[in-house]
Amino acid sequence: MGVSIEVWRARTGMFCGRASLTSRSREAKNDVASVTATASILASILTILLLIGNIEPNPGPFPCKLPWCTIVPTTISSNVRHQQFHAMDKHFMFTCPACDYGTKSFSALNTHVSLTHRERRHHIADPDHADESLPPLPHNCSVDLCCFSTASFWELVQHLCNNHINEGVTVKCPFVASGACSRDHISFKKASTLRSHLSQYHGGWNDGGCPRKNKSALATENTSTAFDFTTSHEGFDCIMESATTPDQVVDPGLLNDTLLTNNIAKFYLEMYGVFCLPVKTIQEISENISFFTDIMHQRMKIVLSGELKELNIPDDKIRAINVKVFNADLLHATHHKDRPGPSLTSDYLRKQFFKDNFNYMEPIELNLTDDPKSKSRIQLVPITQTLSTLLADPTVQREIESSFLRVPSNSDLVSHYTEGSQFINEDHPVREIHLNLYIDGVNPVMNVLGSAKNKFKTLVMYFTIGNVQAHNNAKVISKHLVALVSESVFKALKGEVCFKSVIDEIDILERDGIQFKGSHVPVCLEFMLGDNLGQHQIGGFWDYFSGDFFCRFCTITKASFRKNPAQTNPPLTEETFNYRAHKANMTETPYKGIEGNCAFNSLKYFHSTKSLCPCIGHDILEGVVSWDLSGILSLFVKKKWFSYKMLNRRIKQFKCDGVDIPNKPAPVNIKGKKLGGHAVQNWMLLRLVPFIIGDKILDFNDPAWQLYLKLKKLCEFFCGHSFLKSDLAYLKFVLIPEYFEQRALTLLDTKKYPLRPKHHYMAHYPDLMLQFGPLIDVWTLGHEQKHKFFKHFCRMNQNFKNIQYSCAIRHQMNLCYLSLGELYPLGSNVTASQPISASPHLNEVAHLLSNFSPNCIDCEAIEVDGSLKYSRRNFLILSSDGPDIIGGFIRVIAMEPNDCYPTFVLEKIKALYDPDRGVYKLPLDGAGELIGVPYNDLPYKQTQPLYKCGSYLAFSLKSKVHQSL
């Protein structure tokens, strides 16, 4: 087993980094030795300067800024050539001789000098004119009629990519204008090609210009440090400049003993909880750090003592300096038990440090039987502890306090579960925290064959806080572990035994509440999420879907369903469920679809008949869409409009745009029974069929194509983040019956395309939308992504002994690491900007500028709340206008200095509905009215990807658009 330290950065004694597995242990040790040496040498020199304060900086015209070098070049060019000798060591900083620019890339330094100081690169510095250095040259856009200018070369490249290349303009390399690039005959049509050229021939072009997100730092504590960094010392600036990157300068206040120790511990926590490295690997890294710091200390003592003796420093002073220098090395101290302070030398000590300083909570292992040797165990993470940790996060507090201020809406619009009929009928208090549980089976060990295929199958339970906004709750970090238990144990002991501790804890929370900002707030279980199998298993329903009673929402039989697919019987009531559960318990066999009672029914608001949410991902996208769209495409193939080979080739070559890129449609299964992708890929294919293969549809009145349009329209209703109550009657009594009638006339082969239980669940969806609110807010795909953490951990560790315990431990370390920062960042992150007065659209938006302050900036691109990204020319939807849609292209993204969110200047356009293809086309004669829309006033905040449809640009909806109310 080999270990390589990927990133080891030295900051005057502060150590942080990341580890990854490789096959070369020798290179790993060399890397650690080199970087540790650099860190220790810098710390030693800094300490000497602070203690004796009598070393003068090297005089000269352009002295080398490396602190150990005495060479004094006389010109800028000679200084640059001198620094080239250090180019093989990437730990050194290269600095411009004529200004404060610094970079880790020598090619970037050479490019900077060529662009910024080309008139002075061969001039000898004149001490009499030291203050008359030429200012940096501005970077101007080379495209005709464009007046963009910026001091940042990186912003110039972003401008060329976003404003010119994306609009079809070819550009040349920006270095051609300065003579630094000889490839002036090459033009670029793609942003990726331009960036590739810059990286290949002008390496480091983006050093120092690209704004980066810094990880949330630990809170600093006002503890005393070894030295007073507020005092000016000669040489200190030189060392700081050489030890830091251009965009990160070490704040002397950060050289705090407690904070440095916490950062070293956080590095280990990241290896445990994020990279999921084996304990053995982490221990080997720790031992290597200890070994190399020992060697470097011995070497530094010899060198330091010799240098101090040459300065005629007394021996007792030398010994005192040595003691102070090496006592300041916290990296050495934390990896040696004999040194004072906390130690991180073993797995036990590291976990103990996490508990004492980072609120790390270990899971609890409970025996579910009376036999102490039994392997029937469950790993529990108390909800109360996790909830208390989350409620300490200011961003979570903000989300919950905002939910307390939510005013019930009496309008026709439903956009939240609190506006659903179930929540309204339960009469909840205003100040209450709502929990949603999710249960599903997962096999954390991938590619297991034979008898061990289901050996490690695990039932996992998560919880989410319902008060959090839907776009934040959709993130993986919002899913928190509650329990892990082997699926075989669950099947043997059932949910009442396995989850008794969870139910008791929720019962206490409902009764006593939890401490939140000085007061007790009640907590309740609102919904249970999961796929159909998980919902039936935990809810007490029979999980045999081929039986006569297969629906948990009503009492319909299979014969009635096949006779009339759109039929739904009256909903299953609590009294009917309790009676059937009692009969099942008495006879010990399922009775009319009920296998027994649900243990969670004892809670205040919960009952199996009303609290088990459907999942549109499993029912519609992986069910109805996968089967029916596959059948529709097979009919087109039979008519020889196209072949599966052509269809899959076009799918492979199709270029998705914007938010569609991560879920490009998968190739279609040529057997024609089911699509080949997961839920979101099937959704993407349903939306993009008109763009991928629409030109091959010879008859838009064909029954199969009409069935496709009806299926697409149904998904637009089901997948919306909001809907109108008045639309549900049309959906239930018109659209769904029409779909089943059209399906019966089109997919005639009932053996190949049979009706399945998920088709019946779809008939319940109008009532379920009214009951639960938008169904996309309670689907399970975000939880499915959470399973990847356990799969990644098992793949990295290859240790399957008590796999549930190991997974629970690492998950809690991951939560501990995430809790060190903000869970839900608020505000906007600007990628590139310029003053609003320099906007290339200044003349067009002049009449709107009166609404903006003089300090307002125009952003090239912006990220809002850590999730939504916007850039110029993106298309936003505003409202519907009958069959058409009102939207607008983003022309300007205006950001006021003190605002968290931007204001968009939109070019308002009406997109016309094309009933033949089911898409919306944008007019060719483009220009429309310019309007300003604040971010918070956008009814649909997601940008809309645009695709070519013949000679038009068009888009296909994800969800139905309603008129602004």
Side-chain angles (χ1 to χ4, degrees):
M1 178 181 63
V3 181
S4 169
I5 309 306
E6 180 186 324
V7 179
W8 298 79
R9 301 196 320 191
R11 296 292 185 270
T12 61
M14 180 177 67
F15 174 89
C16 64
R18 296 182 177 179
S20 63
L21 294 176
T22 69
S23 61
R24 294 183 287 185
S25 179
R26 180 176 300 175
E27 290 183 5
K29 294 181 179 180
N30 292 338
D31 289 344
V32 176
S34 177
V35 181
T36 308
T38 304
S40 302
I41 292 172
L42 292 175
S44 303
I45 296 175
L46 171 62
T47 307
I48 296 170
L49 294 175
L50 296 175
L51 289 173
I52 61 179
N54 60 358
I55 298 180
E56 297 273 343
N58 292 321
F62 293 111
C64 178
K65 295 187 179 182
L66 297 176
W68 55 86
C69 183
T70 59
I71 302 299
V72 186
T74 56
T75 66
I76 294 178
S77 296
S78 60
N79 184 291
V80 171
R81 286 196 300 272
H82 166 72
Q83 294 191 56
Q84 187 175 10
F85 287 103
H86 300 285
M88 297 304 295
D89 195 327
K90 296 181 180 179
H91 302 297
F92 296 152
M93 289 294 302
F94 300 102
T95 55
C96 177
C99 67
D100 294 331
Y101 175 80
T103 177
K104 289 184 178 180
S105 168
F106 175 76
S107 59
L109 173 64
N110 200 19
T111 299
H112 164 78
V113 172
S114 298
L115 285 177
T116 310
H117 308 291
R118 61 177 181 265
E119 291 89 350
R120 303 183 60 220
R121 55 187 174 183
H122 300 300
H123 291 186
I124 298 178
D126 185 355
D128 296 332
H129 299 86
D131 296 330
E132 297 180 6
S133 59
L134 295 175
L137 296 177
H139 305 296
N140 300 318
C141 180
S142 59
V143 178
D144 293 339
L145 304 179
C146 183
C147 301
F148 180 81
S149 179
T150 177
S152 167
F153 183 79
W154 183 86
E155 289 188 2
L156 174 61
V157 175
Q158 292 298 105
H159 166 79
L160 290 173
C161 294
N162 294 333
N163 285 6
H164 296 304
I165 293 181
N166 289 348
E167 296 183 0
V169 178
T170 59
V171 301
K172 291 185 178 297
C173 174
F175 286 98
V176 170
S178 62
C181 181
S182 59
R183 294 166 178 81
D184 56 349
H185 59 284
I186 300 177
S187 298
F188 301 96
K189 298 180 180 179
K190 296 181 180 179
S192 58
T193 310
L194 173 61
R195 291 192 175 98
S196 177
H197 166 82
L198 292 173
S199 299
Q200 182 177 0
Y201 297 103
H202 310 284
W205 63 272
N206 59 348
D207 284 6
C210 178
R212 297 176 173 86
K213 273 189 176 180
N214 295 326
K215 291 185 177 179
S216 54
L218 301 177
T220 57
E221 300 180 20
N222 295 324
T223 56
S224 59
T225 55
F227 306 103
D228 180 13
F229 289 97
T230 61
T231 306
S232 176
H233 297 280
E234 288 185 343
F236 180 82
D237 292 338
C238 176
I239 296 173
M240 289 293 100
E241 184 179 4
S242 300
T244 59
T245 59
D247 61 341
Q248 183 180 11
V249 179
V250 171
D251 182 357
L254 295 179
L255 303 181
N256 177 302
D257 289 357
T258 303
L259 183 61
L260 289 175
T261 304
N262 285 350
N263 274 314
I264 297 172
K266 186 178 177 182
F267 159 66
Y268 279 107
L269 185 60
E270 192 174 18
M271 286 194 290
Y272 277 111
V274 179
F275 303 124
C276 298
L277 298 182
V279 174
K280 185 177 180 181
T281 301
I282 298 175
Q283 186 61 31
E284 183 174 347
I285 292 173
S286 177
E287 291 173 0
N288 281 338
I289 294 174
S290 174
F291 172 72
F292 287 120
T293 53
D294 277 340
I295 293 177
M296 295 313 302
H297 274 210
Q298 295 299 324
R299 180 179 179 182
M300 289 170 60
K301 284 181 181 179
I302 297 173
V303 175
L304 183 58
S305 298
E307 293 294 328
L308 293 177
K309 284 183 179 179
E310 291 184 3
L311 297 173
N312 298 322
I313 306 296
D315 290 342
D316 56 343
K317 185 66 173 177
I318 292 176
R319 286 191 293 272
I321 291 174
N322 277 322
V323 170
K324 289 187 177 182
V325 167
F326 298 114
N327 282 345
D329 189 351
L330 294 179
L331 178 60
H332 184 271
T334 54
H335 288 79
H336 292 79
K337 294 181 180 179
D338 56 343
R339 294 285 302 273
S343 175
L344 302 173
T345 55
S346 68
D347 181 67
Y348 171 79
L349 291 175
R350 288 189 285 269
K351 289 181 179 177
Q352 193 62 42
F353 186 93
F354 301 156
K355 292 178 184 178
D356 297 338
N357 297 273
F358 296 155
N359 294 322
Y360 165 64
M361 302 172 295
E362 282 195 348
I364 301 171
E365 186 175 59
L366 291 183
N367 191 343
L368 298 174
T369 65
D370 296 332
D371 183 5
K373 296 183 180 180
S374 173
K375 294 184 179 180
S376 299
R377 299 176 182 272
I378 185 172
Q379 311 300 325
L380 289 175
V381 179
I383 296 176
T384 306
Q385 292 185 17
T386 305
L387 204 54
S388 299
T389 301
L390 295 173
L391 294 180
D393 186 343
T395 62
V396 178
Q397 293 177 4
R398 182 184 63 244
E399 293 279 330
I400 292 179
E401 287 181 324
S402 298
S403 71
F404 293 163
L405 301 176
R406 185 183 298 273
V407 178
S409 175
N410 296 323
S411 68
D412 193 29
L413 179 68
V414 177
S415 59
H416 199 259
Y417 72 91
T418 58
E419 297 167 351
S421 60
Q422 177 173 323
F423 186 87
I424 294 174
N425 294 335
E426 288 171 347
D427 193 22
H428 290 261
V430 175
R431 294 176 58 85
E432 186 179 52
I433 296 176
H434 311 134
L435 302 182
N436 298 328
L437 288 183
Y438 167 83
I439 299 177
D440 190 23
V442 57
N443 193 345
V445 183
M446 298 186 295
N447 302 324
V448 180
L449 303 176
S451 60
K453 183 177 181 180
N454 294 318
K455 180 179 180 180
F456 305 105
K457 194 75 177 292
T458 300
L459 200 69
V460 60
M461 177 183 286
Y462 306 121
F463 83 87
T464 57
I465 303 175
N467 305 66
V468 175
Q469 295 182 74
H471 72 275
N472 282 328
N473 236 345
K475 299 176 181 178
V476 176
I477 58 175
S478 296
K479 281 65 178 173
H480 311 291
L481 184 64
V482 176
L484 285 168
V485 62
S486 172
E487 190 173 63
S488 59
V489 172
F490 175 78
K491 289 182 177 180
L493 300 179
K494 303 301 180 183
E496 189 172 358
V497 175
C498 291
F499 298 122
K500 183 179 184 303
S501 299
V502 177
I503 296 170
D504 292 343
E505 185 179 14
I506 296 176
D507 185 56
I508 294 174
L509 287 171
E510 288 182 341
R511 209 170 49 245
D512 302 336
I514 195 169
Q515 189 76 13
F516 177 68
K517 302 193 75 171
S519 63
H520 275 77
V521 177
V523 180
C524 75
L525 176 61
E526 185 62 23
F527 299 132
M528 184 81 74
L529 314 181
D531 57 16
N532 291 308
L533 180 62
Q535 298 285 61
H536 279 239
Q537 287 179 341
I538 200 68
F541 296 93
W542 197 18
D543 57 2
Y544 183 63
F545 296 97
S546 298
D548 202 24
F549 295 91
F550 59 88
C551 181
R552 66 181 182 275
F553 303 115
C554 72
T555 57
I556 196 170
T557 61
K558 181 160 289 187
S560 300
F561 163 60
R562 288 176 175 172
K563 185 177 180 180
N564 183 5
Q567 176 186 347
T568 57
N569 283 2
L572 188 66
T573 62
E574 293 186 23
E575 292 77 12
T576 304
F577 177 90
N578 294 336
Y579 172 77
R580 293 183 179 183
H582 176 71
K583 292 280 289 186
N585 290 332
M586 294 293 293
T587 60
E588 296 185 354
T589 57
Y591 179 74
K592 291 188 177 181
I594 307 298
E595 197 171 21
N597 197 15
C598 174
F600 289 88
N601 286 349
S602 61
L603 298 175
K604 184 176 180 180
Y605 296 108
F606 188 90
H607 198 272
S608 297
T609 59
K610 65 176 184 178
S611 302
L612 300 179
C613 299
C615 175
I616 58 175
H618 289 89
D619 293 345
I620 305 299
L621 304 179
E622 288 185 347
V624 176
V625 170
S626 182
W627 296 317
D628 292 3
L629 181 57
S630 177
I632 293 169
L633 294 174
S634 69
L635 294 179
F636 296 150
V637 173
K638 287 181 180 179
K639 294 177 181 179
K640 298 185 179 181
W641 289 357
F642 54 82
S643 64
Y644 280 114
K645 184 177 181 180
M646 174 187 288
L647 175 62
N648 288 332
R649 183 177 68 250
R650 288 200 175 188
I651 291 174
K652 183 178 180 180
Q653 296 174 350
F654 188 79
K655 293 184 178 181
C656 292
D657 182 54
V659 295
D660 291 344
I661 292 176
N663 297 290
K664 184 177 180 178
V668 176
N669 191 333
I670 62 174
K671 293 182 179 180
K673 292 184 178 180
K674 194 174 183 180
L675 297 180
H678 57 65
V680 183
Q681 287 179 317
N682 294 343
W683 189 14
M684 292 298 108
L685 181 60
L686 179 71
R687 291 177 47 242
L688 301 179
V689 161
F691 306 120
I692 296 175
I693 205 73
D695 60 314
K696 294 297 181 180
I697 304 301
L698 302 182
D699 181 8
F700 291 115
N701 293 318
D702 183 83
W705 184 255
Q706 291 299 312
L707 181 63
Y708 160 76
L709 294 178
K710 285 182 171 59
L711 179 60
K712 183 175 181 293
K713 193 171 184 179
L714 280 174
C715 288
E716 291 173 4
F717 273 97
F718 295 149
C719 297
H721 288 280
S722 61
F723 61 88
L724 299 178
K725 296 177 185 178
S726 56
D727 287 340
L728 297 182
Y730 167 73
L731 180 62
K732 180 176 182 179
F733 298 111
V734 178
L735 196 55
I736 291 178
E738 283 183 356
Y739 176 78
F740 282 117
E741 291 175 6
Q742 185 74 31
R743 187 185 189 279
L745 297 174
T746 305
L747 302 178
L748 300 177
D749 190 348
T750 56
K751 291 185 178 180
K752 189 174 182 180
Y753 310 112
L755 288 169
R756 292 176 168 87
K758 290 180 179 179
H759 286 93
H760 170 71
Y761 298 152
M762 183 177 72
H764 278 290
Y765 269 41
D767 296 327
L768 296 176
M769 291 166 66
L770 186 64
Q771 178 182 350
F772 296 114
L775 296 183
I776 199 168
D777 293 342
V778 293
W779 72 346
T780 65
L781 296 194
H783 297 83
E784 301 276 356
Q785 289 180 322
K786 180 78 171 181
H787 299 337
K788 292 182 181 179
F789 173 83
F790 299 118
K791 295 179 183 291
H792 173 64
F793 166 70
C794 292
R795 183 172 62 251
M796 294 293 294
N797 281 263
Q798 296 296 312
N799 182 359
F800 310 126
K801 184 177 180 180
N802 198 353
I803 190 67
Q804 288 83 23
Y805 175 77
S806 301
C807 287
I809 286 285
R810 289 306 180 93
H811 178 276
Q812 289 306 101
M813 290 187 173
N814 181 265
L815 175 64
C816 179
Y817 180 81
L818 294 176
S819 66
L820 297 178
E822 292 185 341
L823 203 62
Y824 307 120
L826 177 68
S828 303
N829 179 36
V830 178
T831 301
S833 64
Q834 59 186 333
I836 194 73
S837 58
S839 171
H841 307 287
L842 176 62
N843 295 331
E844 303 174 19
V845 301
H847 65 285
L848 295 174
L849 287 181
S850 59
N851 298 325
F852 303 126
S853 67
N855 296 326
C856 182
I857 58 174
D858 176 18
C859 309
E860 293 267 356
I862 195 169
E863 183 182 38
V864 180
D865 289 346
S867 56
L868 298 175
K869 297 180 180 180
Y870 303 91
S871 60
R872 291 175 185 162
R873 304 304 299 172
N874 284 163
F875 188 80
L876 290 170
I877 295 176
L878 299 177
S879 65
S880 69
D881 182 14
D884 304 325
I885 285 179
I886 304 297
F889 286 102
I890 299 177
R891 301 298 297 272
V892 175
I893 305 175
M895 190 72 185
E896 296 284 358
N898 298 323
D899 287 350
C900 293
Y901 298 108
T903 296
F904 298 102
V905 176
L906 302 178
E907 182 184 348
K908 192 175 179 181
I909 293 177
K910 177 185 285 190
L912 305 178
Y913 181 64
D914 182 354
D916 290 337
R917 294 176 174 83
V919 299
Y920 293 83
K921 293 183 177 179
L922 299 176
L924 296 176
D925 53 347
E929 176 190 1
L930 292 176
I931 60 172
V933 182
Y935 170 80
N936 289 325
D937 292 345
L938 288 174
Y940 302 93
K941 292 182 169 57
Q942 188 65 264
T943 58
Q944 190 65 47
L946 301 177
Y947 301 99
K948 287 186 177 180
C949 185
S951 59
Y952 291 85
L953 276 179
F955 60 89
S956 180
L957 290 179
K958 284 188 175 181
S959 60
K960 180 175 172 55
V961 176
H962 52 76
Q963 291 182 347
S964 299
L965 299 180

